[in-house]
């Protein structure tokens, strides 16, 4: 959990506060905090209050976007920092096409994970 770089902040179109995620999912806030702590969700400190926030594109109505947790694990295993993960996830990739997070939201997780794993080699 780190403060976000303005360049990367500009890549992410919308953010959600942890209490908003907990309300959307119908779970207690501690469950969302536990997901951040266990690195199943990526949250960074941003805004005037330096509060923890998660990219809105990472969140579905019933949990994280399908394949997000696995993709985050692969990227972290490759040595990516949270900032680098955000930059990679939200940067257009002509070979996908679109950004990796767009591909995940369109249920193209296998393609995204394959690219993430290739970066480790």
């Amino acid at each position: 959990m780190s403060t976000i770089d303005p360049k990367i902040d500009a890549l992410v179109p919308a953010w959600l506060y942890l209490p908003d995620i907990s309300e959307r999912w119908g779970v207690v806030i501690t469950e969302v905090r536990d997901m951040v702590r266990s690195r199943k969700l990526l949250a960074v400190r941003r805004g005037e209050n330096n509060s923890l926030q998660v990219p809105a594109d990472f969140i579905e109505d019933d949990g994280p976007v399908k394949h997000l947790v696995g993709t985050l694990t692969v990227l972290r295993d490759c040595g990516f920092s949270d900032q680098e993960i955000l930059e990679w996830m939200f940067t257009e990739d002509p070979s996908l096409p679109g950004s990796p997070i767009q591909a995940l939201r369109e249920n193209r997780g296998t393609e995204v994970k394959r690219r993430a794993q290739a970066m480790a080699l």
Side-chain angles (χ1 to χ4, degrees), residues 4-5 9 21 48 74 76 88 101 104-105 114:
I4 189 159
D5 178 283
D9 194 18
I21 297 168
E48 289 179 23
V74 169
R76 286 180 173 130
W88 186 80
I101 190 57
L104 287 182
R105 293 188 66 80
R114 193 175 296 132

Side-chain angles (χ1 to χ4, degrees), residues 40-72:
K40 292 179 180 161
L41 266 185
L42 191 156
V44 293
R45 295 204 174 272
R46 60 182 298 279
E48 289 179 23
N49 297 331
N50 204 31
S51 60
L52 279 176
Q53 296 177 42
V54 174
D57 284 339
F58 285 4
I59 305 302
E60 296 276 315
D61 286 337
D62 57 350
V65 169
K66 187 175 181 182
H67 299 293
L68 176 69
V69 175
T71 302
L72 292 176

Side-chain angles (χ1 to χ4, degrees), residues 26-45:
V27 299
V28 292
I29 185 71
T30 53
E31 286 187 44
V32 179
R33 289 188 191 286
D34 287 345
M35 288 186 77
V36 171
R37 198 172 302 113
S38 66
R39 303 175 66 93
K40 292 179 180 161
L41 266 185
L42 191 156
V44 293
R45 295 204 174 272

Side-chain angles (χ1 to χ4, degrees), residues 93-104:
D93 180 343
S95 72
L96 274 172
S99 67
I101 190 57
Q102 285 172 314
L104 287 182

